[in-house]
Amino acid sequence: MPRAIRFHETGGPEVLRLEDVQVGAPGAGEARVRHTAIGVNFVDIYHRSGLYPLPLPSGVGVEGAGVVEAVGAGVTHVHAGDRVAYTGPPGSYSEVRLVPADRLVKLSDDIADRTAAAILTKGLTVHALVRRTHVVRAGETVLWHAAAGGVGLIAVQWLKALGATVIGTVGSDEKAEIARASGCDHVIVYTREDFPRRVRELTGGAGVPVVYDSVGKATFEGSLDCLSPLGLMVSFGNASGAVPPFDLAVLGRKGSLFLTRPSVFTYIARREDLERGAAALFEMLRTGKVKAQIGRTSPLEKAADAQRALSARETTGSVVLLP
């Protein structure tokens, strides 16, 4: 019987359990996928902790790669035997599962399973943020928090390919070296440096037109202070905790700023948007402009340990589970 990581109550990583599960034949619009690699993302932690509530008991994990075993009625774009990857509803921390087939993208021979599992959700996130939330142009200077993380390393490479100047923040000197190696023009160790002041110094006092912030509570207010007038604050994560309620008038006082809270799942809800984003990501991989960096692999049964390391921000690059 296939195994899967599930949780019956919200809480810390200890609530994750490895259980035997029954996986039946795919229904209409579904495919049954046997995983070969599984991506670990912060949204998995938000689901497990209850920050983003799910009906319980629940599976966990939104990203995986593997082989299609069977398809249900009406599915024509993938077939049994196809190598695929997806970002979709929770349940990817498993050996076998049913997936809505419209979430699957086929993998060509030059995209390895582990690469796809490590990069699809994060790469689609970067594509949405830098090509749609704010269309980054050559010559722009942007601030990206957590520049040595799984999303951050992809973003830095993508931004450099677009011709941007990248200021990245990290939490340690070790991570600073990793961010520089990926293309960061300036790296700020925000745990010991005043990052808003440093950003102002690097930009001659002007600030930046856009800040991408997945850290949340610890960096939110400082991020606003990094923006130029009419600048855009893109808050897309809560690694340090959720941003508390604040007075919207602050945005006016700090320069008529804009604020958005995007989710990649909204940006790829339509099949055509998913395909467009995946095609752009895979082209970046093929041309070498973006390289997947897997910082840690763990067996499926060690999913709790992988989440602990990610939430403690002890990892660099992507975290992948192997069923």
Side-chain angles (χ1 to χ4, degrees):
M1 185 174 290
R3 302 178 303 165
I5 298 291
R6 294 174 58 79
F7 63 105
H8 295 252
E9 59 184 358
T10 58
E14 68 278 358
V15 304
L16 298 178
R17 306 180 190 176
L18 183 65
E19 301 177 348
D20 292 333
V21 295
Q22 290 187 336
V23 181
E30 292 184 326
R32 189 172 69 235
V33 175
R34 180 168 294 276
H35 291 129
T36 54
I38 300 155
V40 179
N41 296 279
F42 264 102
V43 70
D44 309 343
I45 296 169
Y46 303 157
H47 286 149
R48 183 257 297 156
S49 69
L51 181 64
Y52 294 175
L54 295 174
L56 298 179
S58 175
V60 63
V62 299
E63 178 177 45
V67 178
V68 175
E69 291 190 329
V71 299
V75 177
T76 59
H77 66 285
V78 294
H79 303 87
D82 285 345
R83 295 175 55 245
V84 295
Y86 68 89
T87 180
S92 68
Y93 289 19
S94 59
E95 293 174 335
V96 182
R97 72 169 297 196
L98 299 177
V99 183
D102 72 340
R103 298 294 88 193
L104 298 176
V105 294
K106 293 174 70 170
L107 298 177
S108 57
D109 291 342
D110 56 353
I111 306 293
D113 291 13
R114 292 190 187 187
T115 297
I119 205 170
L120 184 61
T121 300
K122 300 171 188 66
L124 288 169
T125 298
V126 172
H127 176 263
L129 294 176
V130 305
R131 305 313 293 149
R132 297 179 66 188
T133 304
H134 173 83
V135 180
V136 176
R137 295 177 173 83
E140 280 190 318
T141 299
V142 307
L143 174 62
W144 195 287
H145 287 294
V151 176
L153 290 178
I154 298 167
V156 169
Q157 296 174 77
W158 205 316
L159 288 166
K160 292 307 299 177
L162 293 173
T165 297
V166 184
I167 303 172
T169 73
V170 296
S172 68
D173 290 326
E174 177 187 8
K175 290 185 176 182
E177 289 305 312
I178 293 169
R180 286 192 189 95
S182 292
C184 259
D185 297 279
H186 309 283
V187 182
I188 302 169
V189 182
Y190 76 92
T191 50
R192 67 163 185 263
E193 297 182 76
D194 183 340
F195 75 85
R197 184 179 68 182
R198 186 73 181 116
V199 168
R200 292 288 174 179
E201 290 173 352
L202 292 169
T203 58
V208 294
V210 60
V211 175
Y212 295 101
D213 189 341
S214 62
V215 176
K217 182 179 180 179
T219 53
F220 181 79
E221 290 189 13
S223 292
L224 295 179
D225 291 332
C226 295
L227 286 165
S228 56
L230 306 181
L232 174 62
M233 170 66 178
V234 183
S235 176
F236 69 100
N238 310 290
S240 67
V243 175
F246 80 107
D247 182 2
L248 282 175
V250 170
L251 299 177
R253 291 196 295 269
K254 291 182 180 291
S256 298
L257 305 178
F258 294 85
L259 169 64
T260 186
R261 184 63 164 85
S263 166
V264 65
F265 301 107
T266 305
Y267 281 88
I268 61 171
R270 298 190 308 167
R271 174 74 192 176
E272 54 264 42
D273 290 328
L274 170 62
E275 292 178 338
R276 187 179 301 112
L281 172 63
F282 293 158
E283 182 62 19
M284 282 285 185
L285 287 170
R286 290 189 186 96
T287 59
K289 293 177 180 178
V290 169
K291 296 180 175 65
Q293 300 186 47
I294 301 174
R296 175 179 179 138
T297 58
S298 298
L300 177 63
E301 57 266 28
K302 297 293 185 181
D305 291 339
Q307 284 201 0
R308 284 191 188 95
L310 183 61
S311 61
R313 299 163 74 184
E314 295 171 354
T315 62
T316 59
S318 298
V319 179
V320 173
L321 299 176
L322 302 177

